[in-house]
Amino acid sequence: MAAAIALVWLALCAPIVVFFVLGVDQQLRFNYSLIAQIVAPFTAAFFCYHAASAFPRIDSMNKILKFLGTGVLCWGIGAILYAVYPLFHEGQETPFPWYSDIGYLLLVPFMLVGLIFFKRTFSFKIPIFGKVGGAFFFLVAFSLSVQFNLTKLKDSDSLASYVATLAYVLGDPLLLAGTMMVVSILTGPTARPWWLILIGLIFYYLGDLVYNYLSIQGDYGTGHPIDITWPLAFGFIAVAALVMRARVRYS
């Protein structure tokens, strides 16, 4: 089931890049990308909540999956707000920062709370390689984020713009580091869904990183191939949730 969903998800994401390569009409690329960025997080959130329902309400995994699902759902709401702006402003790109960024940024605290709750609930000791790996992920991701967003931080003309940019710079590296540490305390089949989540968050981080760079250069427009990273990221999270549900149902 999870493998089939993964293949369908990939097939539905692929046109974002294929349309660009084939030079398909910009309006079609624009619309398809926006729809994908809305449908993907809402579908992933559904799978997270669906997986949570397989666990008893008092079970920690029920709460953890709901935190992850809520974070993804917030991002989806942000995507809807992002899509609404051009409709009421003659097709103009959504500015930064805007209300959509609130939804996007809320993904981080909800997912971080889920990761922290996981660590505290199961009381696993993080091994040395987990701490080193987490630190490595954070330092590399944070360094790249600062480098790619330095101009944006310098040119911020309002407190809201500065705070939003800083939140993006810090949030994604924290998510990667936290997920890496969770993965390090698990072994065998139990760790596989969390590896999928980590891969998904890497795609998510790369999407944010390259998007910011292209925006600064004035080379980004909705329908750009980089848009595939976010739907793919949520696809990994959705498949991870399905794997978790399957394990508890057939265990």
Side-chain angles (χ1 to χ4, degrees), residues 105-127:
L105 288 170
L106 280 175
L107 176 142
V108 174
F110 276 109
M111 295 198 76
L112 279 178
V113 169
L115 295 175
I116 293 169
F117 192 77
F118 183 94
K119 169 64 177 64
R120 289 184 176 178
T121 299
F122 294 100
S123 300
F124 290 117
K125 183 177 180 181
I126 299 174

Side-chain angles (χ1 to χ4, degrees), residues 19-98:
F19 287 169
F20 181 85
V21 173
L22 295 179
V24 172
D25 178 69
Q26 168 62 26
Q27 190 60 47
L28 176 58
R29 285 159 42 201
F30 180 94
N31 292 335
Y32 192 91
S33 180
L34 280 182
I35 292 170
Q37 291 180 60
I38 292 171
V39 173
F42 275 92
T43 306
F46 169 79
F47 282 134
C48 286
Y49 290 132
H50 186 54
S53 68
F55 296 86
R57 288 190 178 183
I58 59 172
D59 193 299
S60 298
M61 283 305 301
N62 180 287
K63 297 180 178 65
I64 291 165
L65 282 164
K66 285 178 178 176
F67 276 124
L68 299 183
T70 302
V72 174
L73 183 65
C74 287
W75 200 96
I77 294 171
I80 290 177
L81 293 174
Y82 185 93
V84 164
Y85 185 90
L87 296 177
F88 294 96
H89 295 83
E90 300 178 350
Q92 297 178 27
E93 283 288 338
T94 307
F96 175 85
W98 203 58

Side-chain angles (χ1 to χ4, degrees), residues 145-225:
S145 290
V146 170
Q147 183 177 350
F148 276 63
N149 288 279
L150 195 57
T151 301
K152 206 169 187 178
L153 285 167
K154 288 181 178 178
D155 295 343
S156 295
D157 54 2
S158 67
L159 179 61
S161 176
Y162 188 87
V163 170
T165 303
L166 193 60
Y168 281 114
V169 169
L170 285 170
D172 294 351
L174 284 173
L175 270 182
L176 289 173
T179 308
M180 178 62 209
M181 286 190 281
V182 165
V183 168
S184 73
I185 63 181
L186 301 172
T187 58
T190 309
R192 289 173 189 168
W194 292 96
W195 277 110
L196 291 174
I197 291 173
L198 178 61
I199 294 170
L201 290 176
I202 290 173
F203 272 103
Y204 176 80
Y205 165 74
L206 291 174
D208 282 355
L209 193 70
V210 178
Y211 164 77
N212 284 328
Y213 175 76
L214 292 173
S215 296
I216 291 169
Q217 300 299 316
D219 295 330
Y220 176 79
T222 301
H224 190 281

